[in-house]
Amino acid sequence: MTMKLEYTAEQLAFAAEARSWLEANVPKDRLPSMDTEAGFAAHREWEQQLSDGRWSVVSWPAEFGGRDVGLVEWVLFEEEYYRAGAPTRVAQNGISLLAPIIFGHGTPEQQQRWLPGLTDGSIIWAQAWSEPGAGSDLAAIRSTATRDDSRGGWVLNGQKIWSSRAVWADRGFGLFRSDPAAQRHHGLTYYTFPLDAPGITVRAIEQLDGGTGFAEIFFDDVFVPDADVLGGIGDGWRVAMSTAGNERGLSLRAPGRFLAAADNLVALANTSAAAGADISAATRERVAEAWIDAEAYRLFTWHTVSRALVGEEVGSEGSINKVFWSELDRDLHETALELRGAEAEVKTGDHGSWVDDYLFSVAGPIYAGTNEIQRNIIAERILGLPRGDRRKN
């Protein structure tokens, strides 16, 4: 279908208002990494500031702190957000992955209880999906949920791993096997839980850069009331897949992030050349490719937006998005470090931001379902190729 790339006067006014607010409010100095305690607290304060300006969740209904704007305005805001160099969102898990589930499957009581805390950073959520032996193969999870009629709820046992933001977050969400006799994709239920509940142990996982953006979560007879179950009992797989679609597709990686990074890369190349650096033709070509790919991703996103506006769903094509943006992000930052040369080893000032962003980009082809899994989805569900032999993966 044809993309619509013309904006209305109202949409342009909205973008201008966002740009003005961001220019006045984005911190002049880069916040510390959110994978540290001090950085996490600073990013939580930024969430509050965004909420005070009603820029935290622009596409949400006004009653929950949003501006009731459409998908086009949301993408425009994201472009302005990254162009302004605004901090990475510590509330991203909750806003992008959980909130759509709460809107789509939550009860009115759950919406009133959880959504306001998502907008202002007062409740930060950790994603608790992966388990040892069940990462990209989510249906292989073994953590259990056992019915407790006497207390009106469920008892969770097991272990989650690579849980984003779990070290300092307030609550978690994830799948547990509520019917062990059912087939892999059945008998799963979606639960939420406070991370300080009796029986929960959170153990930080130290990363290469010393930060702790991930953690293991151990569940030892953790009670969860019925009121904290999202969606129907045994319906967890369907609920989770709608979340996975958000993570791999449009919402997690809006194009503004890559457009801003590509512009910064071009500026870095120009600055280095002006300073007398000997930049090879191959490196210059990689800089140009990064900018072109970022622009291509922007156009693909607008194509997706155009389809969504007429009621079409992204579906398995979100896997194409995921492979493309994760490899673009990694290649772009590798080129930046190549331009930095020996200075790339120094984590101070601008050097530090490039190194931090590179280390994060390396994880892109792994999280949100590995790119190998995404390529299987593309091959089987989009191209119609025969199912591969999983034993060779």
Side-chain angles (χ1 to χ4, degrees), residues 25-26 34 53 59 100 124 156 167 175 195 204 223 257 273 284-285 342 348 375:
N25 289 277
V26 168
M34 70 172 76
S59 61
I124 301 295
L156 307 183
V167 180
L175 283 177
L195 286 167
F223 178 73
R257 173 184 169 185
R284 291 174 186 272
E285 187 171 330
T348 57
R375 287 190 167 91

Side-chain angles (χ1 to χ4, degrees), residues 256-342:
R257 173 184 169 185
F258 305 112
L259 292 168
D263 285 343
N264 290 337
L265 179 65
V266 172
L268 175 62
N270 288 331
T271 302
S272 300
D278 183 16
I279 304 175
S280 69
T283 301
R284 291 174 186 272
E285 187 171 330
R286 290 178 65 184
V287 172
E289 285 177 352
W291 188 90
I292 292 169
D293 285 351
E295 185 67 15
Y297 184 71
R298 183 181 78 87
L299 295 174
F300 186 80
T301 299
W302 281 112
H303 175 66
T304 304
V305 169
S306 299
R307 291 178 54 192
L309 291 176
V310 296
E312 296 185 23
E313 295 191 2
V314 176
S316 299
E317 293 181 24
S319 294
I320 300 175
N321 255 7
K322 200 274 173 172
V323 171
F324 190 86
W325 62 248
S326 60
E327 296 187 349
L328 162 62
D329 199 29
R330 181 199 57 200
D331 295 346
L332 187 155
H333 286 91
E334 282 181 349
T335 304
L337 295 193
E338 186 176 315
L339 283 166
R340 284 291 191 189

Side-chain angles (χ1 to χ4, degrees), residues 136 322 326 362-372:
S136 294
K322 200 274 173 172
S326 60
V362 172
I366 300 172
Y367 66 74
T370 67
N371 282 7
E372 286 77 10

